[in-house]
Amino acid sequence: MGSAVSGSATGLQSSRERPVALLYGALAAGLIIVLLWSVASGRYQVPFGTVLSIILSHLVAVKTTWTTTEAVVVETVRLPRVLTAAIAGAGLSLCGAVLQAIFRNPLVGPQTIGASSGAALGGVTVIFLVGFGPLVQIGAFGGAALALVAVLALHRSDNLSPTLTLVLAGVVVSAFCSALVGLVTYLADPETTLQVIVFWLLGSFAPSTWLHCGLVAICTTVAAGVLIGMRWRVNVLSLGDDEARTLGVNPGRDRLILLAAACLAISSQVAVSGTIGWVGLIIPSLARMVVGADNRQLLPVSTFLGAIFLVAADTLARSLTPAEIPVGIITALIGTPIFALLLRRTTKSGAA
Amino acid sequence: MIRIENAGHSYGSQHWLFRELSVTLPSARIAAILGPNGCGKTTLLRAISRTLTLKEGIIDIDGHVGFVPQALTADQSYSAVDMVLMGRSRYLGRFSSPGRKDRERAYESLEEVDLLALAEQRYDRLSGGQRQLVLLARALASDCKVLVLDEPASALDMANQGVVLRLLLRLASSVGLTVLFTTHHPDHAIAVADTTLLMQRDGTHISGSTGEVLTESNLARMYGVPVRRVDVDADEETASAIVPLHGLRSKKAPDQPPAP
């Protein structure tokens, strides 16, 4: 019987690869369409074709058919902003997927685990002390790392209901960080740093320049290389520490590397655009419904979906009303009901 | 071969779970560990599979241990073959994923436990017995020399108990694995184990050939319940059962209810 079944099993294997290739094709196409739509839309409408021509003109010779204003809008206003949003969304969603797997908890995300608010605190402190600049990234990274350490320390002291205590530890650390952010904001000079801090904290891609885009691109690419590169280790860690150890994997060291990479991506997103919640929490959960729990598929799919989602949310944020809505409000409006549904499903299935 | 010398462990400042435990389990043979709840069976298994460090003693094993945990919980929505592939992780670098060779080994292991037809099924949708076999296949896929199983048959129905026990016999005799398992069924030890380690609640232990160790008197002393061994000589095979005498269906006249 062995050989007969073996034939059909390898058949299954190859038939499973075709839909996967199709899925990635669809995701890439979706991302490109959303990016172009986002660059084209806004108060100053640029036709879809013109956007395409302006971008292509950097790669191949294209006859100039657009006005200088259109070129400026596309190249220095919209493109850096849209790409920053895409990379930030990709990073948040990827980090969320990894965090959910290694903490074996679908309610975990960059925000619920305190990393985002830790990064905000670090960033605000740097702005308060030395003003806005590249140092904000370093402060945000340090803050995110400290917040994660605090959450893990709190979580370890209680293992009654690990799924919920981790989220509660995140809430506690977030609240503490928010209080400190409030304190720094209160102490800030209303003439100078206060405005910068408040504007930054609101969370927006509006001030994005190519510098922002470059910073988040470099940090997120490095982090994504580590996180997606370790996708199989993420699978092993998702079985729990004892299991990982019996399978010959050192869970402590691997988790440390993954968390450091996640902190890098999350903090770079916070540094360029302030705290943006919910993306890293709901997008991985939605992706899991599509491709299942295997992180070899889940991590890249989450990355794509996160980019698409945040670009779409940012586009809505700046085109729904004449005045721009902070993008964090859009993601929260979409994210909270989905989170409520996930919470219900999780507690119902007894995972909490 | 598994050589345990002067092993002892306690949690925190509690009394010793077991101490001065020494036993050598020969290669390509099956050994069983029996003992009442809380005597430290699982602790010893965790020490053998290197997820716990003992307070005292040495455990010497040639090669790595393939550990098969109890398949009680199933919050994993990986496919059965992906679950088995996890067994290949020790051979994979931090940044690599299983390749064609690993996949072939995984399918081979599933074939060894006769579960190839369910390779693409989700692990959490399998029955308890099938999950147990998938975890066994995962240990086999790691190319271990020593197979350690935590109560492999306790959650299974009678037919599946037979499937697992037969598999253990075959893995020891034809693959040459050293097999060690814990159980609450003395019958299972009698059926397949060459060596038995009997751990007692007072921290002492008895070890030796299964026939010598699992006597009526030893079992009665260990569990605190009188037992009888029943040997069955059927047409094609022999079998033994240990029957506890709990005093449930006493031949003495039942106690009269007290008069109102």
Side-chain angles (χ1 to χ4, degrees):
Chain A
M1 102 164 237
S3 58
V5 183
S6 163
S8 74
T10 44
L12 268 171
Q13 188 64 24
S14 58
S15 71
R16 208 174 51 167
E17 268 152 22
R18 202 176 304 134
V20 167
L22 268 176
L23 179 65
Y24 285 120
L27 284 170
L31 179 59
I32 290 169
I33 290 169
V34 170
L35 286 173
L36 289 175
W37 163 65
S38 181
V39 174
S41 53
R43 239 167 306 158
Y44 187 92
Q45 293 278 341
V46 183
F48 217 81
T50 311
V51 171
L52 206 59
S53 312
I54 293 173
I55 294 170
L56 284 178
S57 71
H58 290 274
L59 307 171
V60 290
V62 180
K63 209 175 117 223
T64 309
T65 55
W66 53 85
T67 64
T68 326
T69 320
E70 282 175 331
V72 168
V73 165
V74 168
E75 284 171 3
T76 61
V77 180
R78 300 250 174 94
L79 213 46
R81 173 179 190 160
V82 168
L83 288 177
T84 303
I87 297 163
L92 283 176
S93 178
L94 171 61
C95 291
V98 170
L99 292 172
Q100 289 175 2
I102 64 178
F103 291 117
R104 316 172 68 194
N105 187 337
L107 306 182
V108 156
Q111 193 190 22
T112 49
I113 204 155
S116 291
S117 32
L121 174 61
V124 164
T125 311
V126 168
I127 297 175
F128 175 71
L129 294 175
V130 298
F132 196 84
L135 267 182
V136 170
Q137 163 61 34
I138 294 166
F141 179 79
L146 273 179
L148 259 181
V149 168
V151 167
L152 292 179
L154 269 178
H155 176 236
R156 191 160 297 172
S157 62
D158 185 336
N159 46 21
L160 215 67
S161 168
T163 314
L164 281 178
T165 49
L166 188 63
V167 176
L168 289 176
V171 169
V172 169
V173 171
S174 293
F176 188 69
C177 288
S178 302
L180 288 178
V181 165
L183 184 67
V184 175
T185 313
Y186 178 73
L187 294 173
D189 181 356
E191 297 293 312
T192 53
T193 45
L194 181 63
Q195 294 174 16
V196 181
I197 288 176
V198 169
F199 194 63
W200 182 72
L201 277 176
L202 265 177
S204 171
F205 292 106
S208 297
T209 62
W210 282 111
L211 193 74
H212 291 88
C213 187
L215 176 70
V216 76
I218 292 169
C219 294
T220 307
T221 307
V222 170
V226 173
L227 297 175
I228 297 183
M230 287 176 70
R231 58 199 181 278
W232 183 255
R233 285 295 172 94
V234 174
N235 271 357
V236 176
L237 290 188
S238 79
L239 300 179
D241 280 11
D242 273 1
E243 286 271 272
R245 244 176 249 124
T246 60
L247 294 171
V249 167
N250 180 342
R253 196 177 305 157
D254 281 356
R255 191 165 37 228
L256 200 68
I257 298 170
L258 290 165
L259 288 179
C263 274
L264 181 63
I266 295 166
S267 58
S268 72
Q269 175 273 312
V270 173
V272 298
S273 53
T275 354
I276 294 172
W278 305 104
V279 181
L281 185 67
I282 53 162
I283 299 300
S285 298
L286 295 177
R288 197 173 294 110
M289 289 176 194
V290 179
V291 293
D294 184 355
N295 291 287
R296 285 174 296 174
Q297 312 300 346
L298 182 62
L299 298 189
V301 169
S302 296
T303 310
F304 269 111
L305 283 180
I308 292 172
F309 175 77
L310 200 50
V311 170
D314 183 50
T315 313
L316 292 178
R318 64 186 162 84
S319 55
L320 273 184
T321 55
E324 186 171 327
I325 308 170
V327 64
I329 292 177
I330 302 276
T331 58
L333 280 176
I334 303 172
T336 36
I338 298 180
F339 181 73
L341 278 176
L342 291 173
L343 187 67
R344 252 175 86 93
R345 274 171 58 121
T346 308
T347 42
K348 214 184 259 172
S349 68
Chain B
M1 190 192 71
I2 306 174
R3 191 172 60 88
I4 302 171
E5 214 166 279
N6 275 319
H9 194 72
S10 67
Y11 289 104
S13 54
Q14 282 181 332
H15 67 97
W16 292 90
L17 266 178
F18 53 84
R19 215 177 174 183
E20 291 169 1
L21 194 154
S22 298
V23 63
T24 300
L25 309 170
S27 297
R29 290 276 191 279
I30 301 182
I33 303 180
L34 274 90
N37 291 324
C39 71
K41 295 191 296 288
T42 305
T43 302
L44 186 60
L45 282 204
R46 290 188 60 197
I48 292 170
S49 61
R50 309 287 186 210
T51 55
L52 175 144
T53 310
L54 288 177
K55 285 256 170 85
E56 283 184 4
I58 304 165
I59 297 179
D60 192 19
I61 299 164
D62 48 354
H64 72 266
V65 168
F67 183 67
V68 183
Q70 291 184 50
L72 295 178
T73 53
D75 54 350
Q76 305 304 335
S77 52
Y78 298 110
S79 70
V81 67
D82 284 343
M83 209 59 181
V84 175
L85 270 173
M86 302 269 189
R88 301 296 298 168
S89 301
R90 66 173 61 247
Y91 302 112
L92 298 169
R94 188 167 278 139
F95 290 97
S96 29
S97 289
R100 166 183 282 276
K101 282 233 169 66
D102 300 303
R103 219 163 10 243
E104 277 168 10
R105 184 72 188 93
Y107 281 112
E108 226 174 81
S109 307
L110 276 171
E111 195 170 5
E112 270 179 284
V113 301
D114 206 9
L115 224 57
L116 203 46
L118 298 178
E120 311 295 329
Q121 293 276 321
R122 271 177 59 164
Y123 174 78
D124 58 359
R125 302 226 170 114
L126 298 177
S127 74
Q130 290 162 343
R131 286 206 289 264
Q132 189 73 65
L133 291 173
V134 169
L135 295 182
L136 219 161
R138 185 178 75 180
L140 297 179
S142 77
D143 290 323
C144 57
K145 291 277 190 312
V146 174
L147 192 62
V148 173
L149 309 95
D150 191 10
E151 296 187 29
S154 57
L156 306 183
D157 65 43
M158 207 178 265
N160 278 315
Q161 290 177 14
V163 169
V164 168
L165 293 175
R166 255 197 315 279
L167 190 60
L168 296 185
L169 271 180
R170 206 185 69 224
L171 291 172
S173 62
S174 57
V175 184
L177 295 184
T178 308
V179 178
L180 173 65
F181 69 99
T182 57
T183 179
H184 283 301
H185 296 282
D187 317 351
H188 292 172
I190 293 169
V192 298
D194 305 288
T195 313
T196 293
L197 169 65
L198 222 159
M199 297 173 74
Q200 320 215 58
R201 204 176 270 119
D202 62 4
T204 62
H205 70 280
I206 309 169
S207 67
S209 79
T210 302
E212 287 166 21
V213 171
L214 292 186
T215 59
E216 287 178 353
S217 62
N218 279 345
L219 285 167
R221 188 152 14 90
M222 178 181 79
Y223 289 115
V225 177
V227 301
R228 287 280 181 281
R229 177 173 164 147
V230 180
D231 294 304
V232 179
D233 197 347
D235 294 339
E236 306 264 315
E237 64 176 293
T238 61
S240 300
I242 300 293
V243 182
L245 300 173
H246 292 302
L248 299 175
R249 291 167 63 185
S250 177
K251 284 191 232 170
K252 281 180 275 182
D255 293 340
Q256 292 297 319

